[in-house]
Amino acid sequence: MSAGVSTTFDDKHSEASTLTNPTLVLNCGSSSIKYALISEDEGTRITGLAENLGLDTARIKHTTLNGEKLEIAIAGGRHELALQKILELLEQYHFIAVGHRVVHGGREYSEAVRVDAHVLAEVKRLKVLAPLHNPANALGIEAVQAIYPDIPQVVVFDTAFHQTMPPVAFRYPLPKALYSEHKIRRYGFHGTSHAYVSERASHITSATGPHGWLTAHLGNGCSATAVYDGKSLDTSMGLTPLEGLMMGTRSGDVDPSLHIHLKRQLGMSLEEIDKMLNSESGLLGISGLSNDLRTIEQAANEGHEDAKLAIEMFCYRVGKYLASLSCALPDFTGIVFTGGIGENSVTTRTRILEVMRHFGIKVDADKNAGLVGGNEGSFHADDSSIELWVVPTDEECRIAQETRAALGLK
Ligand code: AMP
């Protein structure tokens, strides 16, 4: 370990005793692995991140139970090596189950399932729909299987929460065979986040249910969902996580004829267009500066015109989407903001709500200003037509809960 932090056996033993029956949550991305070890009562956790996988700068940033930060260099290390090191770091805590975030579950999965040979094969097969994510997710499952063949593993799909959408919301207006034979439909993503924050909002509101929420997950990836009585009825992402809102580097909705136009006019290949829409667009594309809203907000305050436009477009598109998604709700209780932007940017929340100016929404500016840095709370004025909430998302906690439930554990 490059951090040079030494821990005695006794320290480890007393640490381990506070993490009762923990579940390991793994979120394996294309070049990173996020992990969290969460106690049965959800009150204690160890977290970490392996990043820059495959590069010379590959490393694991690990935070111990005591809040100590370790950094372990694994130059050139890929997923397998990172997972091996992560499992070594966590082995002493005797986790009883592993829950994996898996991006695409296709049509088959509406809830978390225990991993078996069929499930693993499905995760791999669905690479066609999530080429960057599902292969990394499968690697995570196999790495744990190789080292701990007896520990039960569960997959929690990002798409599962949206399986309650009705056909009117999940079908595209395309020839039927594309759906019936090729499964071309809208799936939706960020399901664990939308599920977690809508459930939490229903728990903390004093409004009587059933509740109708619009949940706005605004981070580097952005999506919005209409949730009624705990069920997703419509969402902004579709077949892939590119549809819908403008994001950090993703365009969101564009004219479907853009591909053919760019191919004909600029000779761009489909791969080039795909990369442009996923990695060079959104806040980054418009501002020309960054995909990080903090950088763009600062530049806008200094008078940068493209930064100002990026923020205006982002807020306009979120507000417009929320307004249209409200049509899916039988009853509109309120809007729940989450994700790095939703949880922290007071001005972005205000501007989005200004876009929805015909809805009778009234903001309590002081309460709004206080909701930053992981605070949870409401910020609607007493005479607002609907409630407004900030609920910090906790996808790891939700995955741990679903993992325990799928295994019939407490
Ligand atoms: P996430 O993907 O949920 O971690 O969100 C990441 C994004 O949240 C970053 O790219 C920033 O744009 C945004 N963000 C985080 N903190 C702040 C903040 N204090 N103010 C504005 N935006 C923020």
Side-chain angles (χ1 to χ4, degrees):
M1 285 185 196
S2 62
V5 179
S6 66
T7 319
T8 66
F9 174 78
D10 283 346
D11 289 341
K12 283 180 179 173
H13 192 71
S14 62
E15 271 190 359
S17 62
T18 62
L19 254 178
T20 316
N21 293 332
T23 299
L24 172 60
V25 176
L26 286 177
N27 180 355
C28 298
S30 51
S31 66
S32 68
I33 301 171
K34 258 175 95 175
Y35 60 92
L37 193 67
I38 302 180
S39 63
E40 190 175 44
D41 65 2
E42 293 160 18
T44 316
R45 68 177 77 181
I46 293 174
T47 57
L49 171 73
E51 60 184 6
N52 303 340
L53 297 179
L55 304 177
D56 286 349
T57 49
R59 61 191 163 183
I60 298 174
K61 291 175 167 174
H62 180 83
T63 305
T64 69
L65 259 187
N66 302 328
E68 270 177 292
K69 298 200 184 301
L70 312 180
E71 196 168 307
I72 301 152
I74 49 166
R78 295 180 184 279
H79 289 76
E80 293 85 347
L81 179 66
L83 281 161
Q84 196 185 324
K85 295 276 176 206
I86 292 167
L87 293 173
E88 274 170 28
L89 282 166
L90 301 175
E91 176 175 61
Q92 59 185 300
Y93 300 106
H94 305 295
F95 44 91
I96 57 166
V98 182
H100 296 264
R101 176 194 180 198
V102 174
V103 166
H104 222 304
R107 221 169 28 165
E108 196 170 332
Y109 299 106
S110 56
E111 53 187 20
V113 284
R114 186 171 178 158
V115 173
D116 59 18
H118 171 72
V119 170
L120 180 57
E122 275 299 287
V123 171
K124 288 182 180 172
R125 193 183 62 75
L126 289 164
K127 171 186 166 184
V128 286
L129 292 173
L132 290 181
H133 295 97
N134 273 41
N137 301 151
L139 275 178
I141 296 169
E142 286 175 322
V144 175
Q145 253 172 6
I147 302 174
Y148 298 106
D150 297 328
I151 288 195
Q153 301 197 68
V154 169
V155 281
V156 181
F157 298 101
D158 248 22
T159 47
F161 181 60
H162 301 297
Q163 286 292 304
T164 48
M165 286 195 292
V168 68
F170 77 66
R171 287 284 296 275
Y172 287 113
L174 296 171
K176 187 175 178 182
L178 285 177
Y179 169 64
S180 50
E181 290 168 29
H182 302 287
K183 303 184 173 68
I184 304 296
R185 52 159 284 177
R186 307 182 65 250
Y187 289 96
F189 298 86
H190 288 142
T192 49
S193 180
H194 292 295
Y196 177 84
V197 301
S198 57
E199 193 175 295
R200 182 84 197 128
S202 286
H203 182 70
I204 50 187
T205 181
S206 52
T208 48
H211 302 116
W213 301 112
L214 293 183
T215 49
H217 178 109
L218 308 177
N220 202 27
C222 299
S223 66
T225 296
V227 184
Y228 184 70
D229 201 13
K231 293 187 174 60
S232 169
L233 295 186
D234 198 358
T235 193
S236 60
M237 284 177 169
L239 175 72
T240 75
L242 185 57
E243 187 178 332
L245 306 178
M246 173 173 164
M247 313 183 206
T249 62
R250 280 173 259 172
S251 62
D253 289 351
V254 291
D255 187 327
S257 290
L258 184 67
H259 285 76
I260 190 82
H261 181 78
L262 293 178
K263 186 168 167 356
R264 283 183 185 145
Q265 296 299 311
L266 304 180
M268 287 175 79
S269 69
L270 286 179
E271 286 67 30
E272 285 170 334
I273 297 167
D274 194 50
K275 179 165 171 269
M276 181 270 289
L277 292 173
N278 277 288
S279 314
E280 297 159 10
S281 299
L283 288 170
L284 172 65
I286 298 298
S287 71
L289 294 172
S290 169
N291 63 328
D292 192 315
L293 187 67
R294 286 164 289 200
T295 310
I296 300 169
E297 282 181 342
Q298 194 182 336
N301 289 339
E302 290 162 5
H304 193 291
E305 291 303 324
D306 288 337
K308 287 189 205 168
L309 178 62
I311 294 171
E312 262 179 60
M313 278 180 67
F314 181 86
C315 295
Y316 177 65
R317 287 183 164 236
V318 176
K320 193 166 79 159
Y321 239 105
L322 289 174
S324 70
L325 279 172
S326 71
C327 300
L329 294 175
D331 231 345
F332 191 2
T333 311
I335 303 175
V336 187
F337 290 89
T338 195
I341 296 172
E343 292 169 29
N344 291 295
S345 182
V346 176
T347 52
T348 302
R349 292 194 297 254
T350 308
R351 281 162 171 254
I352 290 169
L353 296 167
E354 281 168 2
V355 171
M356 302 176 76
R357 57 183 175 272
H358 305 300
F359 281 72
I361 299 170
K362 304 269 172 57
V363 172
D364 181 319
D366 290 337
K367 285 186 184 167
N368 189 22
L371 290 169
V372 291
N375 291 335
E376 177 185 87
S378 65
F379 64 102
H380 48 276
D382 291 343
D383 58 345
S384 178
S385 58
I386 55 159
E387 297 189 354
L388 303 169
W389 290 89
V390 171
V391 176
T393 196
D394 193 345
E395 291 169 279
E396 286 80 16
C397 178
R398 177 80 188 189
I399 292 169
Q401 287 168 354
E402 292 196 24
T403 298
R404 291 197 303 271
L407 297 172
L409 302 169
K410 182 164 97 88

